[in-house]
Amino acid sequence: MPREHLRIVVPAGGIGAARFLRGLLIAAPQAEVTVIGNTGDDITLFGLRVCPDLDTVMYTLGGGIHEEQGWGRRDETFVLRDELAAYGAGPAWFGLGDRDLATHVVRTQLLGAGYPLSAVTAALCRRWEPGVTLLPMSDERVETHVVIEDPSAAAGSGRRRAVHFQEYWVRLHAEPVAHSIVSVGAEDARPGPGVLEAIAAADLVVLPPSNPVVSIGTILSVPGIRAALESTPAPVVGVSPIVAGSPVRGMADKVLAAVGVETSAAAVALHYGPALLDGWLVDESDAAAVPVVEQAGIACRAVPLLMRDTAATATMARAALELAGRTGATA
Ligand code: GDP
Ligand code: CA
């Protein structure tokens, strides 16, 4: 029997996850949603700790997001950035707005006072009231690095260099070929407080349309999280971030290639695998993937998967809830 207050756990990256969560909260208004946020993209800039994925979820669900951009604050100004640039103080490639900076100042202050990231995130969420419990995947530092062809090396030298994920994405626009992805610190990290408990208590786990490598993959790289998701009796259903052979936005194709996975809705499902996934939604345009995914033992349906507006996104979330009910796993 479904519980009155369904407990849903959502491992989440940034923009794709945040938008999907908005639809999920409309589709399941009574649900208690716990988000396990990716912190592999976190970076220290100008002495300030920045957590892009946690903030995108918090701002999107709290009504402070820059809607068109998908990250950062609406009605933003850049006085501090311009003043720093006037001093020649770098890096200039990461644009932090004034409103956004207040979040990073408060976070850095609290971390400096000794609070763990989980407690700091909870404190920031008291202002934004995102309507979900937002848990960092870990309180320990895990940093996604991308091994690329060194752009400063002589052409054809083949020299490789590891760069922080933000440098690869924001400064280098994901242009250099990515050879591999490293989750630095992951093997020694522990899941954040409440993460394993939330998975154990979940009635349902939904993988939103997030980057399968540098968002969901990073969360799964924290020891214990994948095992907990694989062993939960609750159904685990995912929404493909790949539509018609391309990421809807972002660089998922580049990082999928780096881990040897084809950019297709079916290949991403098989990459997660049947031990993790009970169900998988693909876009209508990928209907041919349905038998391939089902052949692997994962229930699959083709439905419209473009988050054009909140109504379309809520319909997608409803399809995920329905699919979970059909998987045969116990909800
Ligand atoms: P990031 O950390 O900001 O890159 O955000 P995520 O990891 O949560 O999400 C990025 C993924 O969301 C990308 O791989 C996109 O392909 C996917 N995505 C974005 N918009 C949509 C959409 O409307 N539909 C689907 N199916 N996927 C989307
Ligand atoms: Ca991210």
Side-chain angles (χ1 to χ4, degrees):
M1 283 293 287
R3 226 180 298 268
E4 191 182 350
H5 295 290
L6 206 62
R7 285 174 292 196
I8 307 179
V9 167
V10 181
I15 301 175
R19 290 188 173 161
F20 178 80
L21 280 161
R22 198 147 57 177
L24 182 66
L25 292 178
I26 295 170
Q30 303 294 324
E32 283 171 33
V33 178
T34 301
V35 175
I36 302 172
N38 172 39
T39 56
D41 296 7
D42 296 4
I43 189 167
T44 299
L45 296 164
F46 306 106
L48 300 175
R49 195 67 183 153
V50 180
C51 301
D53 284 355
L54 293 179
D55 287 350
T56 290
V57 171
M58 182 175 80
Y59 292 157
T60 301
L61 300 181
I65 198 78
H66 185 303
E67 288 290 344
E68 294 73 40
Q69 201 169 254
W71 52 270
R73 295 285 312 279
R74 71 169 84 227
D75 303 324
E76 191 55 289
T77 54
F78 290 91
V79 176
L80 191 73
R81 178 197 64 188
D82 295 345
E83 287 295 318
L84 289 165
Y87 281 111
W93 49 267
F94 203 95
L96 292 172
D98 300 319
R99 290 180 193 279
D100 194 19
L101 275 157
T103 303
H104 314 316
V105 169
V106 173
R107 173 184 291 123
T108 305
Q109 211 170 23
L110 290 173
L111 288 170
Y115 291 96
L117 182 63
S118 50
V120 174
T121 304
L124 294 171
C125 283
R126 259 173 242 135
R127 170 181 175 192
W128 291 101
E129 300 183 339
V132 300
T133 303
L134 180 56
L135 303 178
M137 66 187 197
S138 178
D139 274 338
E140 281 138 338
R141 200 150 157 170
V142 177
E143 226 165 65
T144 306
H145 286 206
V146 183
V147 178
I148 58 168
E149 210 85 49
D150 189 343
S152 65
S157 75
R159 204 168 75 191
R160 293 182 179 185
R161 184 156 76 93
V163 294
H164 189 289
F165 171 74
Q166 297 297 349
E167 190 175 353
Y168 172 71
W169 175 224
V170 182
R171 185 170 84 85
L172 300 170
H173 310 290
E175 277 157 13
V177 172
H179 290 288
S180 60
I181 312 292
V182 189
S183 225
V184 180
E187 61 271 32
D188 298 320
R190 288 163 301 168
V195 167
L196 296 181
E197 292 81 353
I199 296 170
D203 299 303
L204 167 64
V205 177
V206 184
L207 303 188
S210 276
N211 190 302
V213 181
V214 295
S215 293
I216 307 292
T218 306
I219 297 169
L220 295 175
S221 76
V222 177
I225 295 186
R226 178 188 275 274
L229 291 170
E230 287 183 353
S231 62
T232 174
V236 177
V237 297
V239 180
S240 178
I242 304 300
V243 169
S246 309
V248 179
R249 61 187 279 171
M251 50 30 230
D253 49 339
K254 308 282 180 71
V255 290
L256 279 167
V259 297
V261 177
E262 182 192 276
T263 302
S264 74
V268 173
L270 301 185
H271 172 62
Y272 285 137
L276 179 69
L277 281 182
D278 298 297
W280 186 243
L281 289 180
V282 301
D283 185 67
E284 284 179 318
S285 63
D286 293 314
V290 172
V292 180
V293 174
E294 295 219 307
Q295 181 69 38
I298 300 165
C300 187
R301 260 188 78 192
V303 296
L305 284 193
L306 288 180
M307 299 189 281
R308 292 182 205 285
D309 50 36
T310 45
T313 311
T315 304
M316 260 168 72
R318 272 184 215 103
L321 297 173
E322 274 168 35
L323 181 63
R326 287 201 307 133
T327 56
T330 44

